[in-house]
Each structure stands twice: as structure tokens, then as C-alpha cells.
Amino acid sequence: MLALSRKINESIMIGHDIEITILEIKGEQVKIGINAPKSVPLYRKEIYMQIQEANKEAVSNDTSPEILSDMF
């Protein structure tokens, strides 16, 4: 993990087209802005983990041979 210090209105570039800017700091919270192409999905980590878990459950529940044969 790379750890960088930034002040308000300072940015970090990821590659050529993703910019992360520190917008505000209040106590223990930091507000960031992310400028990225629309083709790059952005999620809070807890939401991303929920999506991954839901995908795993969907695959494990729907891949029985009986269900697949019913589909065709």
C-alpha cells in the first residue's frame, strides 16, 4: 500500500485518467472527489464487497445441472 499525505485541494493521479482530490477534512472524516472515465466503476468498499458476495451466491445457487437443463 502506498500512503501519501495531501492537503485540501491537492490531488493524486492514478494512471493518466483518474484523479482523486481532497475536498474537505472535518475531524476524522475526509471528503474526496474522484474524477474518472465513466467506463471505470466506482464503489465504496463495503458496497463492492456486498456485490461480490451476491455474485458468489447467485453463481452457487443457479448452476445446478437441473436448472441449466431447464433453461435450454
Side-chain angles (χ1 to χ4, degrees):
M1 175 187 290
L2 174 64
L4 300 172
S5 296
R6 300 278 70 203
K7 295 178 182 176
I8 294 177
N9 294 323
E10 292 183 337
S11 298
I12 298 168
M13 294 297 299
I14 300 176
H16 299 291
D17 53 2
I18 300 174
E19 180 180 11
I20 299 174
T21 304
I22 305 301
L23 301 176
E24 184 178 8
I25 302 170
K26 283 186 179 178
E28 294 186 15
Q29 285 192 331
V30 177
K31 185 182 286 188
I32 62 171
I34 302 170
N35 188 7
K38 291 186 181 204
S39 62
V40 176
L42 297 173
Y43 304 102
R44 295 188 329 240
K45 185 174 181 179
E46 60 272 18
I47 299 299
Y48 178 79
M49 298 305 288
Q50 289 176 357
I51 292 168
Q52 293 300 310
E53 188 59 36
N55 287 343
K56 286 178 188 175
E57 288 178 21
V59 169
S60 66
N61 290 337
D62 292 339
T63 56
S64 69
E66 297 81 25
I67 292 174
L68 291 175
S69 65
D70 288 345
M71 293 175 76
F72 297 105

